[in-house]
Amino acid sequence: MAQSAGSGRTVILTVDDDPGVSRAVARDLRRRYGDGYRIVRAESGETALDTLRELKLRGDQVAAVLADYRMPRMNGIEFLEQAIDVYPSARRVLLTAYADTDAAIDAINLVDLDHYLLKPWDPPEEKLYPVLDDLLESWRAGSHRLVATTKVVGHRWSARSSQVREFLARNQVPYRWYSSDDPEGRRLLEAAGAAADRLPLVVAEDGTALAEPDDTELAGLVGLATTPEEDFYDLVVIGGGPAGLGAVVYGASEGLRTVLVERSATGGQAGQSSRIENYLGFPDGVSGAQLTDRARRQAARFGAEMLTAREVTGLEVNGAARTVHFSDGTSIAAHSVLLATGVSYRQLDAPGLAELTGRGVFYGSALTEAPSCQGHDVYVVGGANSAGQAAMYLSRGARSVTLLVRGPSLTASMSHYLIQQIDRTPNIHVRTGTVVASAHGTEHLERLELRDVKTGGTETVDTQWVFVFIGAAPLTDWLEGTVTRDERGFIVAGPDLAVAGRPPEDWELDRPPYHLETSVPGVFVAGDARAESAKRVASAVGEGAMAVMLVHRYLEQS
């Protein structure tokens, strides 16, 4: 049942199925807006819709609707979809937990969402009232325009369109997607004066439009930092995965002039994980995107600088300085460098896959594509945790998810808790001893040919979606001739250097290398790029923090 305070004033409606949360939201709203607005609360989507219809019949105005995302029977997005029909000009806000930020970003496309707020919003003076002040002001202005957001116009089966959407999503940039075949998409193309064959088109909040932008142009367009503020730092961290983010947070919090350089988006492979359930302190699990967003905001609060869409091409020793060179010919220098470049998924070597990459064939989770998999048959290649997490996430909407595993079982490479979850999910099927032999399709993926590794027999299956997780290769080729790497390209550090034969012959200092120090003094490595690393999120974060401690030791002795 809906409850209200007063009558005859413009309404702010809040709906949450948790009575305690519902009362808390209403309390905070009344404290700030009770003099000018009537605060109405409901504890279910159905009740809230009935209330809106009653208000409509009485001729009352509704300025804003705040809906919790997780409600039984009708979630917040489903409620807002129907609320639009009753009060199309009311400002729409979704209340979400950290675990639901992906759903909140999707809601921008589904229900013209004006804003989403993370719970808890304490203190409301910082996290609730400024947002609502702006939304209510825009509602009072009567323009009935949506809050500005980035727009992307592209073709459904364009590889570059998919990459742009993934870039924006992983960098936590809300956007609206328009197909170039839709009327609104064509209108935006015409307004921007862009040719239909120059896709994707990206329109920033201020109306600036770019056709076929590269990642650096795209980052600049949406306000991500790409240019360093200084020429010299105490610590340059290369790579924004868990190890790099851990190092940046600890480095900046301890007073080091710290800059993080990331070529695509912070989070690394972990940032693409739909759910991490064995990370300390998150008993209900946390998505890679949420963990990454928290770490990024934490680093920014400590004053760390973060550069996006900058590709590092070289590392040079210049006396006591370590110079990092970028692909555009510029460079920055520092007393110390941390290599946290991580790894990338290996490519499947089978006919047809390369041509269809980004058009039904995806490496990594590509979570932006998950909504398009609704009701489809999806295939996931791989037997490690990343493949299992992706299968679980995709199974929420896909008709079926088939996990293709080369080995005889999942037990050798996947965590036990994840295997149990997969066993309990009825629309996930595991096919062991199976590999992809070839892929077929014209405009996009249409069929896969699967091969049994024992018998050699093949089978053709119809599908438009395959996500590949088949092991990883270190992103260290640019370090050839600079630091010692093993035969697979992983960076050797600390005591392992003695085994590799470098110290003492090529080691400049009297002391042995520190634990995470490479063959170049003052250059450290952490995370998946390090030889013999644990390849786990928690260990990567720990190594990043440990590297900062060793950087301090190095700087004290330099």
Side-chain angles (χ1 to χ4, degrees), residues 370-389:
S372 300
C373 298
Q374 296 280 329
H376 290 214
D377 297 316
V378 179
Y379 287 76
V380 176
V381 182
N385 278 10
S386 53
Q389 289 161 354

Side-chain angles (χ1 to χ4, degrees), residues 494-505:
D496 293 334
L497 281 167
V499 178
R502 292 295 292 262
E505 293 85 356

